[in-house]
Amino acid sequence: MPNSPVARPDIADPVAGVPPAIVCLHFLGGSAREWEPIAARLDGVARVVALDLPGFGDAAETSGYTVEAMADHVAGRIAAAGLGGRWYLAGHSMGAKVALALARRAEDGAADLAGLAGLLLLGGSPPSPEPMSDDKRREMMGWISADAATRFAKAAEFIDRNTGAPLAEPLRSGAIEDVLRASPAAWTAWLNHGSREDWSHRIGILRIPAVVVGGTEDADLGAAAQRALTLPHLTHGRLVALEGAGHLLPLERPEAVAGLIAGLVAGEPLTKSEAPKVSEPYRALIESGRVNTRLREALLARAEPDDAAYQPGCLDPVELALLRAVVDRVLPQESIGRIDIAARIEARLAAGAGDGWRFAKLPADSQACRAALRTLDAAARSVHGSPFLGLDVAAQDALLTGVASGEPFYPDRPEDGLDAEQMSLWFEDLRGDVVRTYLAHPASLARIGFSGIGAGGADVQRLPGFERVGIGESEPWEPVALGTDGR
């Protein structure tokens, strides 16, 4: 059965005849002007409200360069604009991290951000510290306050390096001019501090519809980085890879970006998560007097649908996404009616509710899980030059097969990571947890026709138990394993 559509948040529609607004935030060194090619293509579809972040464009003299301060600045501008009704938010690179901070405020009920209905994140700086080498940071900070000739040459080089193909004029000259009019203090503050701020836990996992875009030629913040670092924070996120594009997507691919905005504004319904279906005969058995009251309550609780935006308690959202990816390789499930096994395991880890034992060579369960996931991700980057979440399933399977067999790990594993033997033990334990969690769900028990839950209820005077114990015999009340009765 397909997922059923659900409405978007209860937000009043814009005034009839007035298209919804999309507030647009620029990249490091950019300005509101980078959105002009987009605005020209959205006439009648969306009103582009492009803003300059503190220290850039016409706000070069405005202070406040932390992510929090920039979010405050944008929130004030949005409140002053009086957008009304439904509106959207687009963030490019640096602006994407600010957009995510604003989206978290909106979901937490900030009145000045009421009506936010969707996100577009382009080559976004992720909630976690931005993946940039220290050498690159130092080089970029070194020339921003240099003499005029050096600044111009380096600004031009910066623009050219961040595009998949050279920008046409006058877009290239305008982009270089924006870099040159940026405040050196704001530029340096972002590279030294803002891009390194870790908002992973603060942003958590958002429910808002979002389109995440990365260029295939963007070395640091392309599609693979977006899949690994940004998408895990978005319950209803969709990744779009723009082939051949670099980092300056609004300038390089204005038609594509405008099309994505038009699709976002069109407001396609979200899909609602569905719990795995428990067959009617099995549900009737659960609710019968043959089942102990406490067991019945536990089974019915397990049958409830998982929260698609489950907020992890001991892992961060990227680590939870890693755990989900590993679980999917251990026990693949159909896309509809999935059990969120990873979230259920994470909830137990967060509560400290383990099974009472662990391998002596491993640290505490929650600590072992985090260390193992970091080690696995580091191995993926070492072998494939890509985070684990950016790999195809064949490459993921190959790495996990090596983990299971205790193959030695690579020299650049995290300092607090696990060694090969520890990884093998952790993966053995995890596989057991995955299978137990899957089989504990009543839909799984129904699938295999497990009737042990009806061995005796506390609500009857005589424990019913089993009377037919011969080979091939079954009780009249026993459920039939799905697919074995010709149906």
Side-chain angles (χ1 to χ4, degrees), residues 31-44:
S31 79
R33 297 194 305 183
E34 78 159 310
W35 298 96
E36 290 173 0
I38 311 298
R41 291 167 170 82
L42 288 174
D43 187 32

Side-chain angles (χ1 to χ4, degrees), residues 461-483:
Q461 291 182 347
R462 175 178 173 272
L463 296 179
F466 289 85
E467 296 178 357
R468 298 184 180 183
V469 294
I471 296 175
E473 290 186 322
S474 60
E475 303 284 350
W477 53 265
E478 285 189 85
V480 178
L482 298 183

Side-chain angles (χ1 to χ4, degrees), residues 52-425:
D52 288 317
L53 293 171
F56 301 93
D58 291 339
E61 302 303 318
T62 302
S63 61
Y65 308 140
T66 65
V67 174
E68 186 84 40
M70 287 191 282
D72 288 342
H73 173 83
V74 173
R77 295 290 303 277
I78 289 171
L83 302 177
R86 191 187 300 272
W87 60 278
Y88 300 81
L89 184 57
H92 177 203
S93 190
M94 174 178 72
K97 192 160 191 166
V98 179
L100 286 164
L102 289 164
R104 169 45 60 202
R105 292 187 188 186
E107 289 202 4
D108 289 345
D112 55 353
L113 298 172
L116 178 60
L119 289 176
L120 177 69
L121 305 173
L122 303 162
S125 180
S128 58
E130 196 172 303
M132 183 189 299
S133 70
D134 289 339
D135 287 344
K136 185 174 180 179
R137 288 179 194 276
R138 282 192 293 268
E139 190 270 335
M140 289 176 65
M141 288 189 289
W143 59 260
I144 192 64
S145 297
D147 61 89
T150 300
R151 287 188 71 208
F152 181 85
K154 289 294 186 178
E157 183 181 316
F158 171 74
I159 295 300
D160 293 341
R161 281 185 177 179
N162 279 285
T163 55
L167 289 177
E169 294 293 351
L171 289 178
R172 180 176 180 273
S173 296
I176 294 170
E177 181 184 329
D178 275 343
V179 174
L180 294 175
R181 65 182 180 140
S183 161
W187 175 277
T188 302
W190 176 258
L191 291 169
N192 221 9
H193 302 291
S195 65
R196 287 174 160 157
E197 290 185 30
D198 191 347
W199 281 66
S200 297
H201 287 284
R202 291 180 67 181
I203 289 172
I205 297 176
L206 300 166
R207 298 177 185 273
I208 191 168
V211 179
V212 180
V213 190
T216 60
E217 301 304 308
D218 186 344
D220 293 327
L221 294 172
Q226 298 306 318
R227 181 185 299 279
L229 300 176
T230 300
L231 215 57
H233 293 270
L234 300 163
T235 305
H236 300 290
R238 176 171 68 94
L239 181 65
V240 176
L242 293 184
E243 192 67 36
H247 185 62
L248 304 186
L249 301 175
L251 299 174
E252 295 180 74
R253 300 292 174 84
E255 297 89 351
V257 173
L260 292 170
I261 291 173
L264 185 65
V265 169
E268 298 175 359
L270 302 176
T271 55
K272 181 180 179 181
S273 297
E274 291 187 0
K277 186 176 180 181
V278 180
S279 64
E280 289 304 320
Y282 206 83
R283 186 172 286 276
L285 172 60
I286 292 172
E287 295 174 349
S288 74
R290 305 191 68 90
V291 177
N292 179 278
T293 301
R294 290 178 60 190
L295 177 57
R296 181 187 306 116
E297 291 173 352
L299 290 170
L300 292 176
R302 293 173 195 166
E304 288 296 312
D306 294 302
D307 182 0
Y310 168 75
Q311 303 288 338
C314 68
L315 304 180
D316 67 32
V318 171
E319 291 166 343
L320 177 59
L322 275 167
L323 183 60
R324 282 178 170 140
V326 173
V327 168
D328 281 346
R329 303 318 309 144
V330 172
L331 202 162
Q333 299 182 69
E334 296 177 354
S335 58
I336 297 173
R338 292 168 53 87
I339 305 168
D340 193 348
I341 296 172
R344 294 181 181 218
I345 291 174
E346 202 280 342
R348 290 202 296 272
L349 292 175
D355 52 15
W357 75 278
R358 63 178 173 85
F359 288 108
K361 292 186 177 181
L362 291 178
D365 289 345
S366 59
Q367 182 183 345
C369 188
R370 295 195 69 178
L373 293 171
R374 288 194 295 269
T375 305
L376 182 64
D377 201 47
R381 294 174 189 274
S382 177
V383 176
H384 298 283
S386 170
F388 187 83
L389 292 172
L391 301 179
D392 60 33
V393 294
Q396 290 180 345
D397 285 347
L399 277 175
L400 291 173
T401 299
V403 169
S405 63
E407 288 183 5
F409 266 79
Y410 308 94
D412 57 351
R413 70 181 173 92
E415 186 176 339
D416 58 347
L418 303 184
D419 62 28
E421 183 183 11
Q422 289 175 312
M423 286 294 292
S424 180
L425 293 174

